[in-house]
Amino acid sequence: KAGVTQTPRYLIKTRGQQVTLSCSPISGHRSVSWYQQTPGQGLQFLFEYFSETQRNKGNFPGRFSGRQFSNSRSEMNVSTLELGDSALYLCASSWGTGEKKNIQYFGAGTRLSVL
Amino acid sequence: ELKVEQNPLFLSMQEGKNYTIYCNYSTTSDRLYWYRQDPGKSLESLFVLLSNGAVKQEGRLMASLDTKARLSTLHITAAVHDLSATYFCAAGSLPGGYQKVTFGIGTKLQVIP
């Protein structure tokens, strides 16, 4: 079974640009969550989508947005990039059964560098 | 708002020794996760703990949960170099009926031969 796939793996952008990251969850998983990981802040929750609906949102500015498609694939978009947006962006999917329900399986991440 | 604190943040230990990583969370949570992250890699699920008194073991790692104290521990027995990684705990909360997972900042473990 294929794992969570994130593309691209690496991105270099300049301030003011926008970026779109993609995440394909494990087949059958309907929930996709996004996290920003930085050395100083650790993993911070961005948002979670389930069946194309955003169910939860973290404390990030409106420049960060996302969506989920009918096949559960998800994208996140960051507009007007700032230097502080440089981070590893991780996507995680879930929707198991029994006690493994809601265990999140993480992708390899997209490393974004903003210059 | 749920907050998750881990300690220590850094841990350097010799092979063969035992140690415990602590994870405190601030409000009621219905599940507690432990993850491992190797340098440059993504997160790997280790354990999920669902109820008070739950204990899970895998190899040299054992995790436990005390919901009354809002505390989970990850105990390392007879550490080996392969256990060197960053370990995260995460607590699940149910705002609006849907789960939101909050992570601790991680404990970087270095096992010295």
Side-chain angles (χ1 to χ4, degrees):
Chain A
K1 203 172 190 180
V4 179
T5 304
Q6 289 188 247
T7 57
R9 290 293 311 280
Y10 303 93
L11 266 178
I12 299 175
K13 293 285 187 179
T14 56
R15 279 182 299 174
Q17 287 187 307
Q18 75 163 19
V19 67
T20 299
L21 313 181
S22 179
C23 172
S24 293
I26 291 173
S27 177
H29 285 191
R30 295 166 66 188
S31 170
V32 173
S33 297
W34 288 90
Y35 295 86
Q36 180 193 66
Q37 186 177 25
T38 57
Q41 300 292 323
L43 276 103
Q44 292 190 285
F45 173 76
L46 280 156
F47 26 66
E48 185 237 357
Y49 286 87
F50 182 86
S51 292
E52 303 178 66
T53 301
Q54 187 182 88
R55 296 199 300 190
N56 278 303
K57 191 175 190 303
N59 298 322
F60 279 81
R63 300 185 297 107
F64 292 81
S65 62
R67 59 177 176 169
Q68 187 181 34
F69 302 95
S70 58
N71 61 357
S72 293
R73 190 176 71 84
S74 177
E75 290 181 346
M76 69 163 277
N77 183 276
V78 189
S79 62
T80 320
L81 283 166
E82 300 177 359
L83 295 178
D85 297 333
S86 295
L88 179 66
Y89 290 87
L90 290 166
C91 162
S93 75
S94 67
W95 196 249
T97 57
E99 77 169 35
K100 291 191 183 297
K101 182 178 180 179
N102 290 318
I103 289 180
Q104 295 184 315
Y105 295 86
F106 284 80
T110 294
R111 185 162 297 281
L112 172 65
S113 298
V114 182
L115 306 178
Chain B
E1 183 183 341
L2 177 60
K3 293 189 191 303
V4 178
E5 290 187 356
Q6 287 181 238
N7 70 84
L9 299 185
F10 298 97
L11 177 55
S12 181
M13 57 191 295
Q14 287 187 312
E15 279 193 329
K17 298 292 187 183
N18 304 333
Y19 210 84
T20 301
I21 299 170
Y22 297 88
C23 175
N24 289 92
Y25 53 98
S26 61
T27 64
T28 301
S29 172
D30 71 334
R31 59 198 63 215
L32 197 292
Y33 304 93
W34 285 95
Y35 289 89
R36 167 182 172 146
Q37 186 177 36
D38 291 292
K41 301 280 183 70
S42 191
L43 278 78
E44 173 193 354
S45 175
L46 294 173
F47 303 107
V48 57
L49 303 166
L50 298 176
S51 58
N52 188 42
V55 177
K56 294 281 184 74
Q57 183 162 6
E58 180 75 32
R60 300 173 189 276
L61 300 177
M62 183 174 72
S64 65
L65 178 63
D66 180 344
T67 58
K68 293 179 182 176
R70 294 179 187 158
L71 170 69
S72 180
T73 60
L74 181 66
H75 186 73
I76 302 152
T77 302
V80 294
H81 180 68
D82 285 351
L83 290 178
S84 298
T86 299
Y87 292 85
F88 293 91
C89 68
S93 59
L94 293 168
Y98 302 115
Q99 176 155 223
K100 176 179 173 181
V101 180
T102 302
F103 280 77
I105 202 160
T107 296
K108 187 171 183 179
L109 171 65
Q110 182 184 37
V111 181
I112 304 165

